[in-house]
Amino acid sequence: MKLYIIADDLTGANATSVLLAKEGYKCSSFIDSELLNESNMQSYDVVAVGTDSRGIKSNEAYDKVTREVNRVKHLAPTYAKRIDSTLRGNIGSEIDAVLDNVKDSVAIVVASYPDSSRISIGGFLLVNSIPLEKTLVAKDPKCPVTNSKISEIIKLQTKYNVGDIGVNEVLKGHDSLSERIKVLSNTGNRIIVIDAVTNDDIDTIAKAAKLSDLNVVTVDPGPFTRSYLNEKCGSSTVEQGKKV
């Protein structure tokens, strides 16, 4: 197993698995992570699980994610914390659970999903060019989101320092961006939020993350995790449009 995806619901786990299956990875989503064993974990490149933790208390979400991190810790996989594309749920406490249990790890948050009209610029998440707080997600009955600034949403939920990198830094290329990531990490930021407007931006961030040699935990709705795993492991893209 190369990658373990921890999502806050099964839909999110499946969505990221599909993105990776299209890259040629052998993927599986488990409804019940208790069904995981050494045999089936070793049978897949990517395993995704859902914790059903989006609408529960933050301490309960923390405990659920902690159990999932430690369930596969002996295999030392790359971890991905799949988040909702509109930032609902216990994002900060769930990132904390991963960072607390994966030594020397740094969470890189790329909230953009350009193919679904989610982009981040100036640190703000826009949905169809509208600030997140002006969309219907602000009226979500269980998990309303009333702020469009990604780092501010996370800061309210995490105990760790959060650093920001704007799209202007991303546009300088992966070499420069890698150095910026390392500077923020070395100055005590274990969570780094990075802007992205296009899929090319996401690929640049993935290259920079790999080049940094940090123990990166990807935090995103899917595209960044896909690009980062491709950078680490290479891909053998299957025919697009093929059912997975």
Side-chain angles (χ1 to χ4, degrees):
M1 181 173 66
K2 297 180 174 75
L3 179 74
Y4 194 54
I5 302 166
I6 304 172
D8 63 3
D9 68 358
L10 184 61
T11 302
N14 276 333
T16 302
S17 288
V18 167
L19 287 178
L20 292 164
K22 288 180 177 179
E23 299 296 311
Y25 297 105
K26 189 176 182 182
C27 305
S28 181
S29 297
F30 281 77
I31 296 173
D32 182 358
S33 57
E34 296 291 338
L35 298 173
L36 282 169
N37 55 47
E38 293 303 313
S39 175
N40 55 35
M41 282 192 288
Q42 297 290 2
S43 298
Y44 298 99
D45 299 315
V46 176
V47 172
V49 295
T51 54
D52 196 24
S53 55
R54 182 173 300 173
I56 64 177
K57 293 179 180 179
S58 61
N59 62 312
E60 294 173 348
Y62 178 95
D63 291 341
K64 283 193 170 191
V65 173
T66 295
R67 281 195 294 273
E68 294 310 324
V69 172
N70 290 322
R71 189 184 304 282
V72 299
K73 201 171 186 179
H74 62 290
L75 297 174
T78 296
Y79 287 95
K81 179 69 206 72
R82 200 277 180 185
I83 59 173
D84 175 55
S85 66
T86 54
L87 304 181
R88 292 172 296 171
N90 297 292
I91 296 174
S93 59
E94 294 189 3
I95 294 173
D96 285 2
V98 182
L99 296 180
D100 285 350
N101 292 281
V102 181
K103 187 178 179 181
D104 298 326
S105 55
V106 175
I108 294 183
V109 182
V110 182
S112 294
Y113 198 151
D115 291 345
S116 294
S117 300
R118 274 88 164 135
I119 65 168
S120 58
I121 187 165
F124 293 90
L125 184 63
L126 306 181
V127 180
N128 292 311
S129 302
I130 299 171
L132 181 63
E133 65 199 87
K134 297 295 185 181
T135 68
L136 289 176
V137 74
K139 299 178 181 178
D140 187 290
K142 291 186 71 176
C143 305
V145 179
T146 57
N147 192 337
S148 303
K149 185 84 168 177
I150 302 161
S151 60
E152 288 181 4
I153 292 170
I154 296 172
K155 284 175 182 177
L156 290 172
Q157 302 179 23
T158 182
K159 63 185 178 184
Y160 289 110
N161 291 334
V162 181
D164 281 288
I165 297 178
V167 72
N168 58 313
E169 296 287 341
V170 176
L171 294 174
K172 292 178 183 178
H174 62 271
D175 290 319
S176 173
L177 180 59
S178 177
E179 291 302 315
R180 182 63 182 148
I181 290 171
K182 287 190 284 188
V183 167
L184 286 177
S185 174
N186 290 337
T187 52
N189 297 283
R190 288 194 70 190
I191 302 174
I192 301 172
V193 177
I194 307 181
D195 275 347
V197 177
T198 66
N199 286 318
D200 285 344
D201 291 341
I202 293 174
D203 289 341
T204 296
I205 298 167
K207 289 183 173 108
K210 169 70 164 50
L211 187 61
S212 74
D213 285 328
L214 295 171
N215 185 9
V216 171
V217 175
T218 60
V219 181
D220 76 310
F224 174 52
T225 293
R226 173 183 59 193
S227 291
Y228 184 68
L229 192 62
N230 282 342
E231 286 298 321
K232 286 194 74 174
C233 305
S235 66
S236 54
T237 306
V238 297
E239 182 182 352
Q240 292 303 307
K242 181 179 177 182
K243 291 182 180 180
V244 294

